Amino acid sequence: MDELKPYNSHFKKLERGVNNKPIIPMETFNNFLYYGNASVMVKTKVDTHVNQVESNADRLAMVTERYFVDELYSHQITLETKVFKNIFQVIPKGLKTNDYLKITINPDSIIMKPHESLRELMEVKLNIDLGIEEPFMFAVNPVYVRDVLMLLSSLKIKSFKLKYTDSNLRPLMFEADDIQVVVAPVRLPNM
């Protein structure tokens, strides 16, 4: 199998949903493949070199320091890829970038509640012992999360770590094996 096939597929989805946002093309830097846009950024270890451009080295080093440093994320929980991919599979196609899900992570459950414009979706509550002390709430574009979960599934990753901070304005990181994907939260007026 082509090592880059799952990433190419994910990158094409990001390109289609850009709406005039600048996109970082697939590039290799220090044996990691990077690509993304302002809402989703991917970093993964690969053996194949893609568009290795030294002129972008400073920019990609800055991306690493800004988003892909463990110290930036103070909390993490481990979740099953298949369970969450199946939950997010029901997200309708053609959502706008301002559509979002509010996700509340509690010590004993995860609750996902759709934005008003997504009223055809129902609130989903998954009872699961997460071993955390404090609840945390954030909002995300469900299409970006669904696409990340589909990428992890296509890579045959059974579980991933969801890393986050105490700020619901900071990005979330999906991490498994040699892949890290950062997803920007949706900034809500009441946050």
Side-chain angles (χ1 to χ4, degrees):
M1 179 172 108
D2 177 15
E3 178 185 24
L4 298 178
K5 186 176 180 180
Y7 303 107
N8 284 323
S9 176
H10 184 242
F11 180 72
K12 287 177 184 172
K13 290 176 186 177
L14 286 179
E15 277 186 314
R16 282 193 299 267
V18 166
N19 297 338
N20 297 326
K21 290 181 190 173
I23 192 152
I24 296 175
M26 294 181 103
E27 298 180 64
T28 307
F29 173 67
N30 287 345
N31 295 322
F32 286 93
L33 174 71
Y34 290 84
Y35 65 88
N37 61 30
S39 300
V40 178
M41 190 69 196
V42 176
K43 174 186 175 187
T44 187
K45 189 87 166 155
V46 293
D47 295 327
T48 308
H49 292 282
V50 180
N51 298 334
Q52 183 123 10
V53 181
E54 292 303 319
S55 63
N56 289 331
D58 290 340
R59 181 177 62 152
L60 293 175
M62 181 189 72
V63 165
T64 294
E65 291 171 14
R66 189 166 185 189
Y67 299 113
F68 295 109
V69 178
D70 280 340
E71 291 79 31
L72 297 174
Y73 304 93
S74 53
H75 306 289
Q76 74 178 25
I77 55 175
T78 301
L79 302 168
E80 289 183 39
T81 304
K82 184 177 181 179
V83 171
F84 284 88
K85 183 186 117 194
N86 290 343
I87 290 170
F88 279 85
Q89 287 285 63
V90 300
I91 305 300
K93 294 185 187 276
L95 293 180
K96 298 182 244 61
T97 55
N98 61 348
D99 290 328
Y100 61 86
L101 285 178
K102 281 187 184 179
I103 300 176
T104 305
I105 298 174
N106 296 302
D108 61 352
S109 67
I110 297 176
I111 300 170
M112 293 178 259
K113 187 174 184 175
H115 177 253
E116 283 181 29
S117 68
L118 301 176
R119 63 183 139 235
E120 66 270 10
L121 296 177
M122 296 173 35
E123 180 176 301
V124 174
K125 181 177 182 182
L126 177 65
N127 292 318
I128 182 172
D129 182 16
L130 296 171
I132 62 171
E133 295 178 19
E134 295 292 322
F136 180 72
M137 192 277 296
F138 56 92
V140 291
N141 181 305
V143 173
Y144 293 142
V145 174
R146 178 191 62 201
D147 291 346
V148 169
L149 293 169
M150 290 174 69
L151 172 63
L152 296 177
S153 180
S154 69
L155 294 168
K156 310 246 184 291
I157 294 172
K158 295 193 183 304
S159 63
F160 64 92
K161 293 176 189 166
L162 178 65
K163 295 182 172 186
Y164 57 96
T165 67
D166 291 323
S167 169
N168 51 21
L169 300 178
R170 294 284 305 153
L172 306 165
M173 181 188 288
F174 296 77
E175 181 180 69
D177 300 336
D178 289 331
I179 184 170
Q180 296 174 312
V181 183
V182 176
V183 176
V186 174
R187 294 191 165 126
L188 303 177
N190 59 350
M191 288 184 140

